[in-house]
């Protein structure tokens, strides 16, 4: 599905003080350009309770912003994966449940290999999945709504390299109208 979208980073960590300094500007510019917008929060959570704190910080930063795409929990740290599947599942569930309790559409951003190895299928099926795997095809065998296929794309009006994604779900319709979603299965 060809959709003009923007998914800027809102921030990272457990404090609203860790807001991405460009988030408000990127959000406003994307909305002004008529793009559908989502966001993500980069995790450094050391425990499930810490992931919930990260979600609360994320919500503080987001304020009254409206999103057409999910708000993603960005799980990338190798030391988090080293704690195993149950630990990673609990981080995702705690972050995403706080978002959902506050009326947000929650998702998980993660690379394909850690998704397969450190996230249970029940958690992967529960939340919107944005999988990163650079190359000509996504080799993830589960369902996903977004596939990040490149980190060196170019977009008119943006200087420097941009991540490029394919969207398989019309999240604006799902979020704004609560219509059924269809996910991509490799």
């Amino acid at each position: 599905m060809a959709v003009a979208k923007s998914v800027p980073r809102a921030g990272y960590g457990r404090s609203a003080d860790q807001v991405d300094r460009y988030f408000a500007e990127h959000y406003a510019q994307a909305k002004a350009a008529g793009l559908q917008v989502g966001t993500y929060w980069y995790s450094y959570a050391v425990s499930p309770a810490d992931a919930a704190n990260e979600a609360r910080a994320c919500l503080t930063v987001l304020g009254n912003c409206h999103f057409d795409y999910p708000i993603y929990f960005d799980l990338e740290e190798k030391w988090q994966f080293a704690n195993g599947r149950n630990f990673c599942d609990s981080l995702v569930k705690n972050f995403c449940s706080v978002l959902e309790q506050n009326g947000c559409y929650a998702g998980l951003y993660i690379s394909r290999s850690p998704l397969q190895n450190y996230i249970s299928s029940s958690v992967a099926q529960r939340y919107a999945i944005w999988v990163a795997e650079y190359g000509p095809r996504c080799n993830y065998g589960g369902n996903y709504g977004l596939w990040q296929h490149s980190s060196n794309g170019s977009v008119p009006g943006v200087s420097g390299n941009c991540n490029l994604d394919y969207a398989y779900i019309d999240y604006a319709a799902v979020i704004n109208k609560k219509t059924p979603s269809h996910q991509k299965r490799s």
Side-chain angles (χ1 to χ4, degrees), residues 5-186:
K5 67 171 180 59
S6 176
V7 187
R9 181 179 75 166
Y12 56 93
R14 70 180 66 93
S15 169
D17 293 339
Q18 293 171 291
V19 60
D20 185 300
R21 66 182 178 178
Y22 298 109
F23 172 69
E25 177 184 351
H26 289 166
Y27 175 84
Q29 289 174 343
K31 284 295 190 177
L35 301 178
Q36 294 180 350
V37 180
T39 194
Y40 68 93
W41 191 267
Y42 192 96
S43 177
Y44 290 105
V46 298
S47 69
D50 203 26
N53 288 334
E54 289 184 338
R56 287 186 279 279
C58 177
L59 289 167
T60 298
V61 167
L62 300 182
N64 293 323
C65 293
H66 171 77
F67 294 96
D68 308 292
Y69 271 73
I71 299 166
Y72 291 94
F73 179 63
D74 183 355
L75 189 60
E76 297 187 43
E77 292 295 314
K78 290 180 182 178
W79 59 267
Q80 289 168 319
F81 301 139
N83 283 298
R85 179 174 284 183
N86 288 338
F87 177 79
C88 291
D89 277 353
S90 65
L91 295 181
V92 174
K93 289 188 287 189
N94 279 26
F95 183 94
C96 291
S97 67
V98 169
L99 290 181
E100 289 179 338
Q101 290 165 10
N102 285 275
C104 300
Y105 197 96
L108 169 64
Y109 170 86
I110 190 169
S111 293
R112 183 208 31 96
S113 180
L115 176 57
Q116 289 178 193
N117 292 306
Y118 302 108
I119 302 297
S120 68
S121 60
S122 63
V123 169
Q125 291 169 10
R126 171 68 180 80
Y127 302 105
I129 297 294
W130 179 12
V131 62
E133 181 175 21
Y134 300 153
R137 74 181 286 251
C138 183
N139 295 297
Y140 178 59
N143 293 327
Y144 53 96
L146 291 175
W147 167 36
Q148 184 175 93
H149 62 92
S150 176
S151 64
N152 59 3
S154 64
V155 175
V158 177
S159 60
N161 288 337
C162 295
N163 293 333
L164 298 176
D165 303 278
Y166 290 116
Y168 300 101
I169 295 176
D170 182 354
Y171 280 112
V174 173
I175 292 169
N176 297 324
K177 296 179 178 66
K178 306 297 183 197
T179 60
S181 66
H182 300 286
Q183 296 190 16
K184 172 77 173 172
R185 186 182 262 300
S186 290

